[in-house]
Amino acid sequence: LLFVVGTVSCTLFLAVNSLYSASDDVIELTPTNFNKEVIQSESLWLVEFYAPWCGHCQRLTPEWKKAATALKGVVKVGAVDADKHQSLGGQYGVRGFPTIKIFGANKNKAEDYQGGRTSDAIVDAALSALRSLVKERLSGRSGGYSSGKQSRGSGGGDKKDVIELTDDSFDKNVINSDDVWMVEFYAPWCGHCKNLEPEWAAAATEVKEQTKGKVKLAAVDATVNQVLASRYGIRGFPTIKIFQKGEDPVDYDGGRTRSDIVSRALDLFSDNAPPPELLEIISEDVLKSTCDAHQLCIISVLPHILDTGASGRNSYLDVMLKMAEKYKKKMWGWLWTEAGAQPDLESSLGIGGFGYPAMAAVNARKMKFALLKGSFSEQGINEFLRELSVGRGSTAPVGGGAFPKIHSVEPWDGKDGELPVEDDIDLSDVDLDDLGKDEL
């Protein structure tokens, strides 16, 4: 008796928990297979989101099965137990049962089915949607983005530089990467995500170019990649997080326009970039390549090594390195030379002959320069560069309108200088007495 009761109750339990079986033409959909079956599919799908206990759903079931059989091989008909799989229902904004959605050309812009609940009405709606899908294909239009076969954003801006990440690919790409990642967690049905999409795409391309790929913009469909969504506590869409090596991810809470996103990305890039190199001008190539590649090149002329020794020179170089670090976001070039090594360059910058150490900031495109008037110290140089960075400070044209001849010199070896060795004079054959008489 107990066995029979148990069997009956078990059967009832199963009946209540599923309105469809494997023998039906209705395809049971779950969070595990939804992306593969529906989102990545080329087919048109009609999907019912139901709850087993819902009376309206139970009444729809035979009509839904009949429609599925009639549409077999033409349109896919599926069903989601949204009571059991609440996350899947939530992703598509299901608020009541049954909710029927049509997944057409753009799988991530599902349409609500508002028609009748008879198999005839359902089939008519399916064939109408199918006709629209075929017409769109004929005209060359396609839907928006998906994390499946369609590219994210086809039709909404070129998303070629947005990197799609998944539960499987995220860690190997992002965690421990030396690059900075800005990752958007989105839901296909979310209106704010769709608004962000073209801005994110445009920003991705600009950031890739300006940072040479060192800051990457990516996207994660959080409705499919639920391991990631859970790990990072994604509660709303879109959520943008910034990932940097060795640090916990932080939320991006800035503006949602291309310029806002690019601005933050460039700040992240410069914060993580090493300070620019400080190069000695040992050839024309060093000067030209540095000054041509940067908006400004900061050129210091340091005292002769015999005047300062290695420790004195290194103290000047340390000041320059600190300033290069402080102003690295400006992406300026930094150069130095020894007094007298490049006399033509000194002359063209109005330095020459005295007043070392000296500093000039040169705009190679305009061939104009500004001279440091204050002290060659952190404070003096900081004030000079701060004025330049906001467009103030007096400038003058580079003498001759172009860089003068640059002499190739040996790089400093890091050591104290040595006085030139004079030739020894052999006085052994000289009669000093005679030498004294001649002077008299």
Side-chain angles (χ1 to χ4, degrees):
L1 179 63
L2 285 172
F3 176 76
V4 172
V5 170
T7 305
V8 171
S9 64
C10 184
T11 305
L12 287 173
F13 179 77
L14 287 174
V16 169
N17 270 273
S18 183
L19 300 183
Y20 302 96
S21 69
S23 62
D24 300 323
D25 292 315
V26 176
I27 300 163
E28 280 277 1
L29 297 167
T30 68
T32 306
N33 69 0
F34 195 90
N35 186 51
K36 184 167 185 278
E37 292 286 345
V38 180
I39 302 299
Q40 295 184 11
S41 167
E42 299 286 353
S43 302
L44 180 81
W45 275 83
L46 266 63
V47 179
E48 175 203 3
F49 293 83
Y50 71 91
W53 44 260
C54 151
H56 293 297
C57 303
Q58 292 163 7
R59 283 190 287 279
L60 173 64
T61 297
E63 298 298 317
W64 197 247
K65 289 179 181 179
K66 198 186 296 185
T69 302
L71 291 166
K72 190 173 183 178
V74 181
V75 171
K76 302 263 191 164
V77 178
V80 174
D81 181 344
D83 187 51
K84 183 178 180 182
H85 305 298
Q86 293 181 8
S87 62
L88 199 49
Q91 287 165 26
Y92 293 98
V94 174
R95 298 287 176 268
F97 304 114
T99 293
I100 299 170
K101 289 188 179 281
I102 302 171
F103 293 80
N106 182 350
K107 291 293 191 293
N108 293 308
K109 287 184 180 174
E111 296 175 25
D112 286 321
Y113 170 75
Q114 306 285 9
R117 299 291 172 86
T118 65
S119 56
D120 281 346
I122 294 162
V123 167
D124 285 345
L127 294 177
S128 176
L130 188 63
R131 180 181 176 81
S132 297
L133 182 148
V134 174
K135 286 279 192 184
E136 281 189 22
R137 287 180 182 172
L138 194 62
S139 67
R141 294 195 307 272
S142 63
Y145 64 80
S146 85
S147 55
K149 292 177 183 175
Q150 294 164 307
S151 66
R152 186 176 190 264
S154 55
D158 189 351
K159 302 293 285 187
K160 65 184 172 59
D161 294 315
V162 175
I163 300 164
E164 284 281 351
L165 296 170
T166 65
D167 285 338
D168 294 331
S169 68
F170 189 88
D171 283 7
K172 69 185 177 203
N173 279 287
V174 178
I175 306 302
N176 295 325
S177 168
D178 289 328
D179 300 327
V180 177
W181 288 76
M182 297 178 73
V183 181
E184 174 207 358
F185 293 84
Y186 70 92
W189 45 262
C190 151
H192 291 300
C193 303
K194 291 167 188 169
N195 293 337
L196 173 63
E197 188 185 345
E199 303 295 323
W200 197 247
T205 299
E206 190 171 337
V207 168
K208 181 179 179 181
E209 290 169 358
Q210 293 208 33
T211 70
K212 295 181 170 57
K214 299 303 289 181
V215 177
K216 293 177 166 61
L217 268 63
V220 172
D221 183 343
T223 66
V224 174
N225 301 286
Q226 295 181 359
V227 172
L228 287 173
S230 174
R231 184 199 298 178
Y232 294 112
I234 306 302
R235 297 282 176 268
F237 305 108
T239 293
I240 300 170
K241 287 187 177 287
I242 297 164
F243 294 82
Q244 300 178 77
K245 188 174 183 179
E247 297 182 21
D248 291 334
V250 296
D251 287 328
Y252 166 79
D253 51 10
R256 300 285 175 84
T257 67
R258 177 198 57 79
S259 60
D260 289 327
I261 297 160
V262 169
S263 177
R264 183 63 189 277
L266 292 181
D267 279 346
L268 289 164
F269 172 63
S270 56
D271 287 344
N272 284 270
E277 284 187 284
L278 175 52
L279 301 174
E280 183 180 2
I281 303 172
I282 56 173
S283 67
E284 183 169 335
D285 182 58
V286 171
L287 176 74
K288 287 189 70 67
S289 61
T290 302
C291 290
D292 288 348
H294 300 89
Q295 179 196 10
L296 289 180
C297 49
I298 313 300
I299 300 173
S300 292
V301 183
L302 303 182
H304 195 281
I305 192 64
L306 292 176
D307 293 333
T308 64
S311 63
R313 175 166 292 181
N314 282 326
S315 68
Y316 287 132
L317 294 175
D318 284 345
V319 169
M320 289 190 71
L321 286 168
K322 283 182 182 174
M323 290 297 104
E325 168 72 39
K326 183 178 178 68
Y327 285 90
K328 68 179 181 179
K329 289 185 182 181
K330 297 295 180 184
M331 308 210 187
W332 295 334
W334 293 77
L335 300 165
W336 71 275
T337 184
E338 180 178 77
Q342 304 294 346
D344 298 333
L345 178 62
E346 290 186 38
S347 178
S348 70
L349 299 177
I351 296 172
F354 64 93
Y356 303 113
M359 177 180 282
V362 182
N363 183 323
R365 291 177 187 79
K366 297 181 180 178
M367 273 298 154
K368 289 192 168 183
F369 73 95
L371 273 182
L372 169 67
K373 298 291 200 305
S375 64
F376 197 98
S377 63
E378 286 184 46
Q379 183 180 354
I381 295 172
N382 184 44
E383 288 175 6
F384 170 59
L385 298 179
R386 192 174 59 210
E387 291 286 297
L388 286 177
S389 66
V390 295
R392 290 202 291 266
S394 59
T395 60
V398 172
F403 283 127
K405 176 177 173 56
I406 299 298
H407 305 282
S408 292
V409 297
E410 288 296 316
W412 179 45
D413 61 8
K415 299 176 182 175
D416 287 328
E418 294 180 3
L419 287 166
V421 178
E422 296 182 2
D423 293 334
D424 290 333
I425 300 172
D426 185 359
L427 299 176
S428 61
D429 294 333
V430 177
D431 187 333
L432 296 180
D433 289 339
D434 289 344
L435 199 59
K437 288 175 186 173
D438 289 343
E439 286 180 2
L440 293 171

